Every structure is written in C-alpha cells, then in structure tokens.
Amino acid sequence: MASPIHQRLREDVLASVFAPDEPLTEAKLTERYGASRTPVREALQRLEQDGLVERRGKAVVVRTHSAEEIIDIYESRIILEQAAAAKAAVKATALDRQLLTGLLTQMQQLDPSDGRSLAETNRAFHAQLWRATHSPSLIGLLERLDQQVRRYTLTTLTYPGRWPVVLADYAELLAAIGDGDSARAGEVAARHMSDALDIRLKMYAEDPRTL
Amino acid sequence: MASPIHQRLREDVLASVFAPDEPLTEAKLTERYGASRTPVREALQRLEQDGLVERRGKAVVVRTHSAEEIIDIYESRIILEQAAAAKAAVKATALDRQLLTGLLTQMQQLDPSDGRSLAETNRAFHAQLWRATHSPSLIGLLERLDQQVRRYTLTTLTYPGRWPVVLADYAELLAAIGDGDSARAGEVAARHMSDALDIRLKMYAEDPRTL
DNA sequence: TGGCATGCCTATGTATACAATCGTGTACAG
DNA sequence: CTGTACACGATTGTATACATAGGCATGCCA
C-alpha cells in the first residue's frame, strides 16, 4: 500500500501548501494529483487518522493545534523520548551507535543558519535513535507524535543559541548510550526535549504566528 | 465519519471472529455486512492503520503478534500508564476521581469468575484514568496500544489470585491520585502493568496458544 | 519425476456514475 | 430589519463497472 498520492498529499500538508482553513475538497485534490476520487479519499482518510487533517463539518482541512495542544504533545513526547533513549542505551547495536555517531558528525559540519538541513538531519538523528531501541511500538508512537507537530518544527533549531546546545546534548546522549547508562541517556533526552518545548513556547510568546 | 461497518468489522476482529490466517477478502466482507466494496475497503484501511489487520502479500488478514511483540507493546504501555497515572494525580478533577471510585466500587462487587465483566469494567477503569489526565495525546497513544492487544487480554484478569491484587492496586492508585502524589501514582501504575506482563508471560509459558 | 513457464482466474486498484446530505443564499413574512 | 423556511448547488458517501496484477494450476520440457 502507501499509494504515491498519499505520500504526496502528506508532504504537501506538512509543507503547509494548504492554508489552515482551506477546504481540501476531493475535486481539487483529484485535479492536483491527477488521480480519481477513490485514491484521493483513501489518502485523506489516512491523513485524518494520522492527525494531519481533520473533518470540520463536511469539509476536510489541515489540522491546526492550539498552544495547549502542542504543549500536550510535547509533554507526551518528552516521556517517550526519555523512554526511547533509556531503551536505546540497553538495546543499541554497534551499528546503531555507529550510525548515530555518523549523523552527529554530519550535523556538526552543517551551516547553522540552513534551517532546512538542520531540521532534516535532526529528524534523521531522532529516527535513528528510535530505531536503536528495536522497539516497534515505541517507534510507531514516536513517529505518530512527531508527524503531528512536524509542520511547526522547522524553526526551533534556528532559535538563537540553540544549535550548539543541541549538538552538545546529542554528544552527551551518545556517550551515555555508549556506556549503556540507561538512566543518564533518559535524563539527557528528557531535558533536551523539555528545552525544545521551552523554546517553542518562547517563540510563541514572541510571535504567536509561528504556530 | 466512523462508518457503522468500520465499527462492526473492528468488533468482529477484536472478538476473533476471523481466523488469524483467514483472508479478509472484500467480497466476503461485502456480503457479510451488506455494503459495497467502497466502505468495506475504507474499513479495512482504517483497521490496517490501527494495527488490527495487516496486508500479507495481496490479502488482508487479522494481525497476530509474537510473544516478543506483545512484550514490546506491554513495555511501551507500562511507560505510558505510568506517565498517565502520574499526570492524573495532578490533573484529575473531582469528577474524575468520583468516576474512578465509582468504577472501583463496581468492580469490587463483580463475580471474579465472570471474565467478560471483569475485562469490560477493567477497560472502563483504565479509560477513565486516561481521561483524567486531560491529555489528548496520551489518551490517543494509550488507546492505540490497548487496541493492539485487546484481542488477547480477556484472560489475564482471571488468572488465579490476580483479581484481588488488581483491586488492591487500583485502590492504592486512587489513594495516590487523591493525595495528588504523582510519583506514587506512577509507581503503582507501573508495577501494576509490569505484573500484568509477567502474568501474560506466565500464561504463555503454560500454554502458548493463549496468545 | 521434478522444475519451470505460461495462461487463466480471482482479488484488488482505479475510475466514474448515481444518491444523499449539508451548507448557503434568497425570498418572504413578521 | 431580522428571522425563518425553502430550494438549489456543491461536495461527500455509495455502488458498480473497468483495469491490472498476482497467484495457482496445468502442462510441457529436461
């Protein structure tokens, strides 16, 4: 499964191609993606279950989140990232650690102002950390949460002074994982995610439109 | 949304109406539920995303879980239930606490051999505990995990000596929540879920078919 | 006799016709 | 001027026809 138009529509939604209150009518998407209504409906349905769009009355619109909802999602994610890091410290293979180290090295060489690359590799790092848990259920839950706020996350890493801290956090996290120190890995991950939430809130306070 | 046939199909899957390797062909379901292929496909797709069925080659079959997968799901659930209990201790309203107490009272009066009633009220208790967190994301994640193992859970509560322990756990949990003691509530919930996992594993060792 | 190729048949993927519903705008009455 | 009722249009929900692909059986060849 995973039809191409499902992926394309998801990418477009995550890339904020559609306005938050723009109705995603089947006719429009049908034309946009050159498919008939059936696969379009299928894609919409999947995105609805993923929490990326929602039905408002009859129409389907991209789902937006209030500040409260974003905080809520972040709080859940803090819990899961902590658990994932702790589990990765126990379950990670040599290959997992090597891949993580490689990604960190890659991140250290990026241009800190290139928000797009930052976000991209950052996500890759997280995803690899999740995989290192070798826990399908944890991976699934984290992917789910991540998707729901991905539309908002592009800017977090470019917040003044943030990127070096992120790199330091990851280095410490990898050290803890290398030592098999589950508790410390969890703590670092939890703090890292807490900080991310704080920054998001600060950004929101400075400019509510960043949501 | 949430078409009636989606619900019916889900209930049937959860009730193990279909054999684990029985192909759920659209034609068969079409006839069974008296609808056309379109809504049947929609229902199958949703169940697939919920992790209740899976595509094996071309056919769709009810998803089964290995012992390892069930352990994995339980471990994730332990984490989330702990977090939920801890959060409920902080966020629960008087009404939440009252509802939970009422459910516990109800459970104390059940016939411990009536597995079906036990499972039903137990789920209601958990669901109410989740709601008491007032955290949509936590609730969503827990519901998701719960669904994936619901097909297997009917027997856990009737394991010899288990039910009184469950009731005691819940009483202690409500006490902690009443005190606003987040840490203790979390600990009780975590231990409770750990015990449930142990029992499941014990049952599996005694008779692998119980999976 | 065993393995592989080929063709048919069945089940799914896609498109479209048809039905039902919901929102909207307008007109009329108070 | 405002509120309500009715009708029309647009959009989604459902059914079905058509296209495609995948699996299985059969038969041929080694």
Side-chain angles (χ1 to χ4, degrees):
Chain A
M1 178 124 314
S3 76
I5 100 135
H6 168 224
Q7 296 180 357
R8 285 213 282 158
L9 179 56
R10 176 165 55 190
E11 281 163 19
D12 285 346
V13 167
L14 290 175
S16 296
V17 167
F18 307 103
D21 56 353
E22 177 185 0
L24 302 178
T25 68
E26 294 171 3
K28 190 197 310 183
L29 302 176
T30 283
E31 189 193 3
R32 181 183 179 91
Y33 300 110
S36 73
R37 281 181 59 209
T38 309
V40 165
R41 284 174 63 80
E42 173 185 315
L44 280 174
Q45 199 187 305
R46 294 182 78 135
L47 265 57
E48 184 189 359
Q49 274 206 290
D50 288 340
L52 294 179
V53 302
E54 68 184 342
R55 298 194 174 281
R56 200 178 307 179
K58 198 172 185 173
V60 173
V61 297
V62 315
R63 179 160 173 190
T64 58
H65 296 87
S66 67
E68 288 76 19
E69 286 170 318
I70 291 190
I71 294 171
D72 177 56
I73 290 172
Y74 258 83
E75 286 178 348
S76 294
R77 191 166 163 188
I78 290 169
I79 291 158
L80 289 177
E81 291 277 3
Q82 174 169 18
K87 183 164 261 187
V90 178
K91 300 276 190 180
T93 65
L95 176 59
D96 289 327
R97 289 193 294 271
Q98 187 180 329
L99 288 170
L100 284 168
T101 305
L103 283 166
L104 179 54
T105 305
Q106 204 176 314
M107 289 166 86
Q108 286 164 340
Q109 293 163 355
L110 287 177
D111 171 6
S113 65
D114 181 2
R116 193 169 176 76
S117 297
L118 263 46
E120 205 172 301
T121 50
N122 183 58
R123 281 199 58 249
F125 184 87
H126 276 273
Q128 179 54 41
L129 180 65
W130 302 343
R131 268 181 245 123
T133 64
H134 297 272
S135 165
S137 63
L138 261 188
I139 294 171
L141 296 175
L142 279 160
E143 282 177 345
R144 190 177 171 73
L145 282 189
D146 176 56
Q147 260 200 355
Q148 300 195 355
V149 290
R150 198 183 306 172
R151 221 160 47 84
Y152 309 109
T153 61
L154 201 137
T155 36
T156 297
L157 300 169
T158 55
Y159 189 82
R162 175 62 174 160
W163 187 243
V165 176
V166 169
L167 294 178
D169 282 350
Y170 289 173
E172 189 181 353
L173 182 60
L174 290 194
I177 290 176
D179 296 343
D181 188 341
S182 186
R184 183 157 152 253
E187 282 163 21
V188 173
R191 178 172 49 75
H192 176 76
M193 294 307 297
S194 281
D195 290 348
L197 172 55
D198 287 345
I199 289 172
R200 177 159 306 291
L201 292 177
K202 218 177 290 179
M203 289 169 66
Y204 179 66
E206 289 170 4
D207 180 3
R209 287 170 310 170
T210 55
L211 276 188
Chain B
M1 176 128 313
S3 76
I5 102 134
H6 168 225
Q7 296 180 358
R8 286 211 282 158
L9 179 56
R10 174 164 57 190
E11 282 163 18
D12 286 346
V13 168
L14 290 175
S16 296
V17 167
F18 306 104
D21 55 354
E22 178 185 0
L24 301 179
T25 67
E26 294 171 2
K28 189 197 311 184
L29 301 176
T30 283
E31 189 194 3
R32 180 181 179 91
Y33 300 110
S36 75
R37 279 181 60 208
T38 308
V40 165
R41 284 174 62 81
E42 173 185 315
L44 280 174
Q45 201 185 305
R46 294 181 77 134
L47 265 57
E48 184 189 358
Q49 275 208 288
D50 289 341
L52 294 178
V53 302
E54 67 183 344
R55 299 195 174 282
R56 198 177 307 177
K58 199 171 184 173
V60 173
V61 297
V62 314
R63 177 157 175 195
T64 58
H65 297 86
S66 67
E68 287 75 19
E69 285 170 318
I70 291 190
I71 293 171
D72 178 54
I73 290 172
Y74 259 84
E75 286 178 350
S76 294
R77 191 165 163 188
I78 290 168
I79 291 159
L80 289 176
E81 290 277 3
Q82 175 170 16
K87 185 163 260 188
V90 178
K91 300 276 190 179
T93 65
L95 176 59
D96 290 327
R97 289 193 294 272
Q98 186 179 330
L99 288 170
L100 284 168
T101 305
L103 283 166
L104 179 55
T105 305
Q106 204 176 316
M107 290 166 87
Q108 285 163 340
Q109 293 163 353
L110 286 178
D111 171 7
S113 66
D114 181 1
R116 193 169 177 75
S117 296
L118 261 48
E120 202 173 302
T121 51
N122 183 60
R123 281 200 58 249
F125 184 87
H126 277 272
Q128 180 53 40
L129 180 65
W130 302 343
R131 267 181 247 124
T133 65
H134 297 273
S135 165
S137 63
L138 261 188
I139 294 171
L141 296 175
L142 279 159
E143 281 177 345
R144 190 176 170 75
L145 282 188
D146 177 55
Q147 259 198 356
Q148 300 195 356
V149 291
R150 196 184 306 173
R151 223 160 47 83
Y152 309 110
T153 59
L154 200 138
T155 36
T156 295
L157 299 168
T158 54
Y159 190 82
R162 176 61 174 161
W163 186 243
V165 175
V166 169
L167 294 178
D169 282 350
Y170 289 173
E172 190 181 352
L173 182 60
L174 290 194
I177 290 175
D179 295 345
D181 188 341
S182 186
R184 182 157 152 251
E187 282 163 22
V188 172
R191 178 172 49 74
H192 176 75
M193 294 307 296
S194 282
D195 291 348
L197 172 56
D198 287 343
I199 289 173
R200 177 159 306 290
L201 293 176
K202 216 177 292 179
M203 288 170 65
Y204 179 64
E206 290 170 3
D207 179 3
R209 289 171 309 171
T210 55
L211 276 187

